[in-house]
Amino acid sequence: MPTRPPGTPNVDLTFDGASGTINGAVFMTGLYQSVPDQFFSFLEIRDNGTEQGYNTDGALQQDQKDVHNSTHSILLAEVPIVIGDGSQGTVEGVAYREFRLNLGEAGNAKQYLSLDGLQIWQEEAGNLANFTAGSGFAGAHTNYLAYNLDAGADRWIGLKEGLNGNGATQTEFTILIPDSYFINDPSHRYVTLYSEFGMQPGWEADSSSEEWGLSHANGGAVSAMTVHKTATVPGGTADVVGEVISYAVTVANVGNTNLTGITVTDPSVSNLAAVLSGGFNVGDTNHDNQLSVGETWQYTASHTVTQNDLDSNGGGDGAIENTVTADSAQTTPVSDTSSVTVESAASMTLAKTANVTSVDSAGDVINYTINVANTGTVTLTSLQVNDSQVNVFTPSNGDPIVGPPLIVPTTGPSGEYNAGDTNENGFQDPGETFQYHILGDDNNNGVEDPGETFYRTNVGDTNQNGVEDPGETFQYYNAGDTNHNGVEDDGETFQYSVSHAATPVDADHDGFNDGDVNHDNNLDLTETWQYTVTYTVTQADIDNGGVVQPGLTHDNTATATSAQASAEDTETVTIVQDPRVTLTKGAVVADGTADEVGDVINYTINVANTGNMTLTSPVVSDPSVSGLAYVSGDADNDGKIDVGETWVYSASHTVTQADIDNGGVVNPALTYNNTASVTTAQGTQMLNADPDANDTGSASVPIVQDPRVNLVKAASVADGTANAAGDVINYTITLTNTGNMTLTGVTVIDPSVSNLTFVGGDDGDGKLELTETWTYTANHIVTQADIDNGGVVNPALAYNNTASVTTAQGAADPDANDSDSASVHLVQNPH
């Protein structure tokens, strides 16, 4: 056994089952597929040490040998295609071109060989010469390098002879080159494989041949064709209905024999036609109506983009694809598929508008109009428009509501006529009584006995045929009504389905939205469907939880959804809050006049909600009254002054002396005034307070003042007679408050007396109150002059003098001042 030479190949194929990849190509020992192992050579190379060569029908240039036509040209059409399955380095689903390699090293003496160069070229002919590795053929040739082992770096592969037998018909190594690396057209139809071996020390070649081959015979007559199809569309994508996709189709002879009976078909395009010149396809250069070797015939076709193309997104894969097939009398059909990307945009807009800009009362109705428009390029299906403020509750059906037992005729012996139809004429004649029974009442006793089931139909089954016919509506208990009494009792929960669907506009009552022009129930391009929604403003909307909020709005969102797109819009309507309260206060006095202490003034206080907002936390106060009390008005007993409610309070005030005294000031227009006030949470909020939600009200009652004083003066003489000088006349003066007002600034004068002295009656405050009587004393000593009377004898002579009282109130009312005189008879005795 020879020893394995030193060195590290990039891919080591010196043992069974080895494989590796270089530049996308897969190298492996043995066969890739489990097929009969056949080997047909197209290139034989032989030399000692290093060896190189390429296949050609031309003159052999390097180390090629041509033993029994072992070196010759091959067409790309002859190279088999295999599909990768993910094993041995292949990529699953990728198409590869398969090449095979056999080594002819001298048995056990020399088994190891290095593959140092592998280049696969495509040319327009198979008999070319003057080849240079890395450059191709000298002169004007195609020279397309499909694969290069050393592209990007110098690489080599370690080989060992004899791994899969040692015969010329056996494949020792398989090389797979991705089909995508090749160009399949007349200018590249020939494949030239160049290889170089033995460049690595110890891995040199001996005098035996290395052969490249295929899995089938090659190098003879080959009938082969290829078809290519390209598509162009304005803008590069199919995105508008009506735009035209243009196709260019080429059918080429890539074999080495002429082809006849050319057909080109493509059922998915329009206007498929050959491009002609002088009555011949422009590619038929020799005008023989044969697809000659090297010719490429041209065809055109088109496809107009349809709405279905966009709606289906090109059939679901995002592209409009179609396949052209070309055939000839000598070949099997070949096909090519072109693809144009579909860009379909599914979009819609929803516009929601209200018929008012603001509302200010519970019960105001907002009418909304909703327009849904298709603004994309695809038809929208399964359109649903919902509005969050629409709530339609539909009871969930439980057991059917059935009527009374079904009564059916009782038939007689014949089974055809009623048992009471004795003459069996089908009529209830006089004297006959038709007979009936309950269906299910087997013993005809009218009782649903054990084992019997009376037949009943739904109460909506008017013809009792068991079918909900047109015009009939079957009725059911709610699914949650377990006892079937129609009432949601404790422990029961009635069940409903809730719909938020907006109402479609169908003015012509044809069952289709008025915007559905073609009546297909799809929102087509350019269509705008119309819906309506109605909302009735509630007191809760305006109350806003009791919070006064400038800028308060009723916001509402409508949504439109389809299988392809969705949209929404929110409409805002201003809610005008006007929290307002009005307090009115009225007063009455029992006897009509407040003119004495103890008179009672009775008050009625009305607090009315005159705004549009429920008023909360109302507080009514009146510090100047007594017994303030709620009477009535809170109809629902919720402690809130609802819109339209008027709450009534009562209170009273008992007139005091101070009320009448008015601080000692006489005021003919004096009244007793006091003020009640009401505050609410809406009027006293720290933020956004509304003063109209607080109010005050006053009531005025006239106070009648009557300041009045009475002065009484009395005189007496000790011995009963004033008849001598020196007799003393004693006076007593009394003051009495005879009015209703405390008198202040009381002054008593009597200039004709002596020793005017206050005796008592005052409680010490210096005010003459209604309950007090003040007493004064004074005297006068009779003088000779009093008796002489100027020398005139007057039998009626008397001593007269006057006392007077003034008060502060007397300046305004003379009744608050008074005077009185006293007279004492003077006895003259002239002797």
Side-chain angles (χ1 to χ4, degrees):
M1 289 289 294
T3 303
R4 185 181 189 279
T8 305
N10 295 95
V11 173
D12 188 352
L13 300 181
T14 62
F15 55 92
D16 285 330
S19 64
T21 60
I22 296 178
N23 291 335
V26 180
F27 299 83
M28 67 185 70
T29 60
L31 295 172
Y32 175 60
Q33 297 174 319
S34 297
V35 296
D37 186 3
Q38 301 183 74
F39 188 92
F40 296 91
S41 175
F42 64 83
L43 171 60
E44 181 180 358
I45 303 172
R46 186 191 307 163
D47 204 350
N48 288 317
T50 63
E51 56 188 1
Q52 61 179 331
Y54 60 92
N55 63 306
T56 181
D57 290 335
L60 302 183
Q61 175 183 343
Q62 296 169 334
D63 301 318
Q64 303 100 313
K65 305 299 178 183
D66 188 13
V67 179
H68 304 297
N69 195 29
S70 59
T71 297
H72 54 260
S73 66
I74 59 171
L75 293 162
L76 179 62
E78 296 181 272
V79 182
I81 293 178
V82 298
I83 305 301
D85 61 5
S87 67
Q88 295 182 304
T90 63
V91 177
E92 186 173 2
V94 170
Y96 295 91
R97 295 283 181 166
E98 180 190 66
F99 298 88
R100 298 184 175 188
L101 173 63
N102 266 343
L103 303 185
E105 298 307 299
N108 293 332
K110 180 68 175 175
Q111 289 184 299
Y112 293 95
L113 181 67
S114 63
L115 174 59
D116 299 286
L118 177 62
Q119 298 176 15
I120 300 178
W121 296 79
Q122 290 186 261
E123 305 293 344
E124 78 283 1
N127 59 352
L128 304 181
N130 296 321
F131 177 83
T132 301
S135 300
F137 293 95
H141 302 293
T142 304
N143 283 331
Y144 172 72
L145 182 58
Y147 181 76
N148 184 6
L149 177 69
D150 292 329
D154 183 25
R155 302 179 181 89
W156 66 283
I157 297 173
L159 307 172
K160 183 181 179 183
E161 192 269 340
L163 292 179
N164 188 27
N166 194 17
T169 62
Q170 292 178 308
T171 301
E172 292 183 285
F173 304 96
T174 299
I175 293 86
L176 304 179
I177 310 296
D179 181 56
S180 61
Y181 290 8
F182 295 90
I183 299 174
N184 193 9
D185 64 19
S187 298
H188 301 83
R189 66 185 186 276
Y190 283 94
V191 173
T192 299
L193 186 149
Y194 164 81
S195 60
E196 182 179 26
F197 299 91
M199 296 291 292
Q200 306 302 318
W203 299 77
E204 297 89 349
D206 65 8
S207 58
S208 298
S209 296
E210 276 63 65
E211 292 187 68
W212 290 92
L214 301 176
S215 62
H216 57 81
N218 54 82
V222 176
S223 296
M225 68 190 311
T226 184
V227 62
H228 291 288
K229 183 178 183 182
T230 58
T232 58
V233 63
T237 58
D239 56 7
V240 178
V241 173
E243 65 181 348
V244 177
I245 302 172
S246 299
Y247 297 99
V249 178
T250 60
V251 179
N253 187 331
V254 292
N256 54 20
T257 63
N258 291 346
L259 304 177
T260 61
I262 306 302
T263 60
V264 179
T265 58
D266 190 338
S268 300
V269 300
S270 301
N271 308 316
L272 177 62
V275 180
L276 301 177
S277 175
F280 295 91
N281 193 294
V282 294
D284 187 5
T285 56
N286 57 8
H287 291 183
D288 63 353
N289 279 323
Q290 298 182 34
L291 183 61
S292 303
V293 174
E295 285 185 347
T296 300
W297 288 12
Q298 301 177 30
Y299 300 81
T300 59
S302 65
H303 173 72
T304 301
V305 177
T306 67
Q307 188 63 56
N308 183 64
D309 291 332
L310 300 183
D311 289 348
S312 66
N313 195 28
D317 61 357
I320 297 175
E321 300 164 325
N322 49 26
T323 300
V324 64
T325 300
D327 199 3
S328 73
Q330 293 77 25
T331 64
T332 58
V334 292
S335 299
D336 188 30
T337 299
S338 66
S339 176
V340 174
T341 300
V342 172
E343 286 192 0
S344 55
S347 67
M348 67 171 73
T349 59
L350 185 151
K352 181 177 183 181
T353 57
N355 67 326
V356 294
T357 58
S358 65
V359 291
D360 59 7
S361 298
D364 283 351
V365 177
I366 306 173
N367 293 309
Y368 295 94
T369 300
I370 300 171
N371 291 327
V372 181
N374 186 334
T375 55
T377 61
V378 299
T379 302
L380 303 179
T381 60
S382 302
L383 179 64
Q384 292 184 345
V385 177
N386 290 328
D387 193 302
S388 58
Q389 65 190 1
V390 175
N391 293 286
V392 178
F393 293 88
T394 302
S396 299
N397 287 341
D399 295 333
I401 302 175
V402 295
L406 184 62
I407 306 297
V408 297
T410 300
T411 57
S414 67
E416 180 179 359
Y417 295 98
N418 193 286
D421 189 5
T422 55
N423 60 7
E424 295 188 342
N425 67 348
F427 297 97
Q428 188 172 3
D429 300 310
E432 293 181 338
T433 301
F434 277 18
Q435 301 175 28
Y436 299 88
H437 69 279
I438 297 172
L439 187 61
D441 187 8
D442 299 331
N443 57 12
N444 291 335
N445 66 349
V447 179
E448 193 169 8
D449 301 309
E452 293 180 340
T453 300
F454 285 7
Y455 182 79
R456 294 174 171 86
T457 60
N458 194 288
V459 295
D461 189 7
T462 54
N463 59 8
Q464 294 188 331
N465 67 347
V467 178
E468 190 171 9
D469 301 307
E472 292 180 341
T473 301
F474 280 16
Q475 300 177 37
Y476 300 87
Y477 294 104
N478 191 286
D481 190 5
T482 55
N483 59 7
H484 293 175
N485 68 347
V487 178
E488 189 172 10
D489 301 307
D490 291 341
E492 292 181 339
T493 300
F494 279 16
Q495 302 173 29
Y496 299 88
S497 60
V498 183
S499 171
H500 304 293
T503 302
V505 176
D506 183 15
D508 54 6
H509 306 292
D510 60 0
F512 294 92
N513 192 294
D514 286 351
D516 188 4
V517 179
N518 58 2
H519 292 181
D520 64 353
N521 280 322
N522 295 324
L523 182 59
D524 302 311
L525 276 65
T526 72
E527 284 187 348
T528 299
W529 288 16
Q530 305 161 29
Y531 298 82
T532 60
V533 169
T534 298
Y535 181 73
T536 302
V537 178
T538 67
Q539 189 62 51
D541 293 330
I542 297 175
D543 288 345
N544 191 37
V547 178
V548 179
Q549 180 183 338
L552 178 65
T553 58
H554 176 68
D555 301 333
N556 176 254
T557 299
T559 59
T561 59
S562 71
Q564 298 78 17
S566 62
E568 67 176 35
D569 188 26
T570 299
E571 178 71 341
T572 296
V573 176
T574 299
I575 295 178
V576 179
Q577 292 175 306
D578 182 20
R580 188 178 298 276
V581 66
T582 301
L583 185 149
T584 56
K585 183 176 183 181
V588 294
V589 183
D591 60 0
T593 304
D595 59 359
E596 61 180 300
V597 173
D599 282 348
V600 177
I601 305 173
N602 293 304
Y603 296 98
T604 299
I605 301 170
N606 292 332
V607 179
N609 186 333
T610 54
N612 69 352
M613 187 175 179
T614 301
L615 303 175
T616 59
S617 302
V619 176
V620 176
S621 60
D622 192 336
S624 302
V625 299
S626 301
L628 178 63
Y630 165 81
V631 176
S632 63
D634 188 5
D636 52 6
N637 295 320
D638 63 352
K640 302 174 183 178
I641 309 179
D642 301 316
V643 175
E645 281 187 350
T646 298
W647 288 13
V648 179
Y649 294 78
S650 64
S652 64
H653 175 70
T654 301
V655 176
T656 67
Q657 188 62 54
D659 296 332
I660 299 173
D661 286 347
N662 191 35
V665 178
V666 177
N667 180 6
L670 179 63
T671 58
Y672 182 76
N673 294 315
N674 59 5
T675 299
S677 63
V678 59
T679 61
T680 67
Q682 289 65 42
T684 57
Q685 291 172 8
M686 294 183 64
L687 297 176
N688 305 323
D690 191 329
D692 290 335
N694 297 333
D695 196 23
T696 60
S698 298
S700 178
V701 174
I703 299 290
V704 178
Q705 292 176 308
D706 183 17
R708 189 178 298 275
V709 67
N710 181 33
L711 186 148
V712 176
K713 183 176 182 180
S716 63
V717 181
D719 57 3
T721 303
N723 56 8
D727 283 347
V728 176
I729 303 172
N730 293 303
Y731 296 96
T732 299
I733 302 170
T734 59
L735 298 179
T736 303
N737 188 333
T738 57
N740 67 353
M741 185 176 179
T742 300
L743 301 176
T744 60
V746 177
T747 302
V748 177
I749 59 174
D750 193 339
S752 301
V753 300
S754 300
N755 302 317
L756 180 62
T757 302
F758 174 75
V759 177
D762 183 13
D763 59 5
D765 62 358
K767 301 175 182 178
L768 181 56
E769 293 156 352
L770 272 64
T771 58
E772 292 180 344
T773 298
W774 290 8
T775 304
Y776 293 80
T777 60
N779 58 45
H780 176 70
I781 299 175
V782 177
T783 66
Q784 189 62 48
D786 295 332
I787 295 174
D788 287 346
N789 190 33
V792 177
V793 177
N794 179 7
L797 178 63
Y799 183 78
N800 294 316
N801 60 3
T802 300
S804 64
V805 59
T806 60
T807 65
Q809 289 68 36
D813 189 332
D815 289 338
N817 295 333
D818 198 17
S819 63
D820 191 22
S821 298
S823 177
V824 175
H825 182 239
L826 293 180
V827 177
Q828 292 175 314
N829 186 14
H831 290 288

